[in-house]
Amino acid sequence: DAGVIQSPRHEVTEMGQEVTLRCKPISGHDYLFWYRQTMMRGLELLIYFNNNVPIDDSGMPEDRFSAKMPNASFSTLKIQPSEPRDSAVYFCASSWSRGDAFFGQGTRLTVV
Amino acid sequence: QQQVKQSPQSLIVQKGGIPIINCAYENTAFDYFPWYQQFPGKGPALLIAIRPDVSEKKEGRFTISFNKSAKQFSLHIMDSQPGDSATYFCAASRGSARQLTFGSGTQLTVLP
């Protein structure tokens, strides 16, 4: 397996634009997590899914953020409208139940 | 209750030294404590993990020491090498989802 695959690796967008980050988890994993990494706040959990169902989205900072998992092999994190303070590295991770999380390479988002 | 405190923020050692990174947690519901290693431009990668029913776990040059009564755990890197230079994160989790609460990270530099 190629591991968790995220796209794009880098995204530069203008304030107010919609941004969509994509993730393909490891095949067979039933948990998918979205984390955000910033210098100020470190690594923080945004939302996680179990069997494609969102379980806990309490970490999503605002209504501008939304995440979906339409099937077991694909998830998106959308920001609309984007703001400069959303600039961060966004990681997707996946795992089996009670298993260790495997992280993707991340998407570095810059909102100008 | 969800916070994991990590120290030091940065650490510089000579090759062959034994860097030690410390973490403390508050929530006694946590039941799994992994350490992740992150290189620049990469996602965090699992290094080693421990459950609170053991006091020490060793994998290669990496050792976790766990003190359940003090709610503290630490990472020791034996015979450190320049290739170990990275950012290290402790984390804590619970339940089947194992969603991670991360420490703030320690930037380790091993001088040749």
Side-chain angles (χ1 to χ4, degrees), chain A residues 31 33 35 37 98 100-101, chain B residues 32 36 38 96-98 100:
Chain A
Y31 282 91
F33 308 86
Y35 289 88
Q37 185 173 33
R98 296 197 174 275
D100 291 306
Chain B
Y32 190 69
Y36 281 80
Q38 185 179 31
S96 58
R98 294 257 181 93
L100 298 164

Side-chain angles (χ1 to χ4, degrees), chain B residues 8-98:
Chain B
Q9 186 176 358
S10 63
L11 191 53
I12 300 174
V13 299
Q14 294 285 343
K15 177 183 174 182
I18 306 175
I20 300 172
I21 304 170
N22 300 298
C23 286
Y25 63 98
E26 290 295 326
N27 189 348
T28 54
F30 287 137
D31 62 5
Y32 190 69
F33 301 87
W35 285 85
Y36 281 80
Q37 179 188 55
Q38 185 179 31
F39 292 103
K42 304 293 186 182
L46 178 71
L47 194 60
I48 186 173
I50 197 168
R51 291 181 176 80
D53 54 345
V54 299
S55 60
E56 185 177 281
K57 183 175 181 180
K58 183 179 296 186
E59 286 185 3
R61 295 184 295 108
F62 300 93
T63 299
I64 301 178
S65 298
F66 192 89
N67 186 329
K68 187 174 181 178
S69 61
K71 292 187 287 186
Q72 295 176 349
F73 57 111
S74 60
L75 176 70
H76 302 230
I77 305 175
M78 309 302 289
D79 187 27
S80 59
Q81 301 296 313
D84 296 330
S85 297
T87 301
Y88 292 81
F89 293 92
C90 62
S93 68
R94 63 186 177 94
S96 58
R98 294 257 181 93

Side-chain angles (χ1 to χ4, degrees), chain A residues 22-111:
Chain A
R22 296 172 175 79
C23 175
K24 176 179 169 53
I26 293 173
S27 177
H29 282 185
D30 50 4
Y31 282 91
L32 183 138
F33 308 86
W34 283 100
Y35 289 88
R36 180 172 69 174
Q37 185 173 33
T38 62
M39 289 296 292
M40 290 297 295
R41 301 176 64 88
L43 275 159
E44 54 183 344
L45 177 67
L46 299 178
I47 185 172
Y48 76 91
F49 296 81
N50 178 217
N51 292 323
N52 314 337
V53 177
I55 303 300
D56 184 354
D57 65 354
S58 60
M60 297 285 261
E62 299 173 34
D63 292 344
R64 298 183 295 105
F65 286 69
S66 63
K68 294 182 179 180
M69 192 166 185
N71 57 63
S73 58
F74 184 66
S75 177
T76 61
L77 179 67
K78 184 177 295 185
I79 308 173
Q80 166 64 17
S82 58
E83 296 183 5
R85 59 189 166 136
D86 302 331
S87 297
V89 181
Y90 291 82
F91 288 104
C92 176
S94 69
S95 71
W96 288 293
S97 176
R98 296 197 174 275
D100 291 306
F102 291 83
F103 284 73
Q105 299 270 48
T107 295
R108 181 175 295 277
L109 173 65
T110 303
V111 183

